[in-house]
Amino acid sequence: MLLPDGYSDVPTGKIAAVVTHLEMTAPPPRRDDPPGAWRLRRVEQPALAWYRDLYRRVGEEWLWFTRTRLTDAALAAVIRAPGIEVYALVVDGRDEGLLELDFRESGHCELVYFGVTANFIGTGAARFLMNRALELAWRSGVQRVWVHTCTFDHPAAVAFYQRSGFRPFRRQIEVADDPRRDGTAPRDVARHVPVIE
């Protein structure tokens, strides 16, 4: 269904975001790593408590809630599925960034989740993480790497992805239950998206 021009009401208790899909169909020129003591660690068969904690620390402020609402069995089925790879950005021995890659569609890689915790935004950690993400994504047989972001994410997300070599190709509106109203997320997160009673 296409939305008409003009304003469209969002039902009470719901949130709506503009989602931008971006892709690249060839590896971009390599960008230098910024200075920093970061490393990337692959997490085989991620523990659910570990994943939930890092997912929350990276994404709660940006209203990442999809994985939070999954049961343990459903989450395990997703993050431990063949073709899914989960990585942590490690800083001083602590996991401070999340990268999840999906290779399940032949010839394609989706950056499903990508982000760093609040203390590392603007430090170069995301650039380091993206450099590693692109090295991992562009493996033999991959012809397209893509990602999506939305208006709930950091305001510089789209520009960051474009600087990384992605180009926008699709825009959608996503409507969902506000996770702060049902306790999935704390009431005081994402102040840039007000709770409407």
Side-chain angles (χ1 to χ4, degrees):
M1 172 184 102
L2 294 177
L3 292 174
D5 287 352
Y7 295 102
S8 296
D9 285 339
V10 175
T12 300
K14 301 280 189 178
I15 51 176
V18 177
V19 179
T20 301
H21 299 260
L22 304 100
E23 67 181 353
M24 55 176 71
T25 54
R30 190 184 187 293
R31 296 182 69 181
D32 290 337
D33 284 336
W38 305 297
R39 68 179 181 86
L40 190 69
R41 174 176 72 89
R42 181 160 182 193
V43 183
E44 302 274 0
Q45 299 295 305
L48 301 183
W50 171 86
Y51 184 93
R52 289 184 190 283
D53 174 67
L54 186 55
Y55 179 90
R56 179 193 56 74
R57 289 189 298 115
V58 170
E60 191 169 71
E61 184 59 30
W62 314 113
L63 285 181
W64 291 11
F65 61 87
T66 306
R67 297 287 172 82
T68 307
R69 288 183 168 155
L70 295 179
T71 65
D72 285 352
L75 179 60
V78 171
I79 65 175
R80 297 175 183 165
I84 299 293
E85 297 179 8
V86 176
Y87 297 85
L89 174 73
V90 182
V91 184
D92 295 328
R94 184 167 161 82
D95 297 329
E96 297 290 353
L98 177 64
L99 171 63
E100 185 176 326
L101 303 174
D102 184 345
F103 291 97
R104 292 178 294 180
E105 184 179 350
S106 179
H108 297 256
C109 176
E110 178 186 1
L111 276 67
V112 181
Y113 285 102
F114 175 94
V116 298
T117 58
N119 288 342
F120 294 94
I121 293 172
T123 66
R127 166 56 43 214
F128 174 88
L129 185 59
M130 180 58 74
N131 287 351
R132 302 297 78 76
L134 294 176
E135 289 170 359
L136 291 162
W138 282 110
R139 59 184 59 167
S140 179
V142 170
Q143 301 155 356
R144 176 178 178 257
V145 176
W146 72 283
V147 65
H148 70 269
T149 187
C150 75
T151 49
F152 296 159
D153 282 336
H154 191 284
V158 170
F160 174 80
Y161 289 129
Q162 288 180 296
R163 284 193 311 275
S164 299
F166 290 91
R167 66 169 185 78
F169 72 93
R170 183 178 190 190
R171 186 169 289 127
Q172 295 179 299
I173 302 293
E174 179 182 21
V175 177
D177 290 333
D178 189 330
R180 297 163 299 181
R181 289 177 49 113
D182 66 9
T184 302
R187 292 285 288 200
D188 62 345
V189 300
R191 293 184 188 271
H192 61 293
V193 182
V195 177
I196 298 178
E197 302 293 348

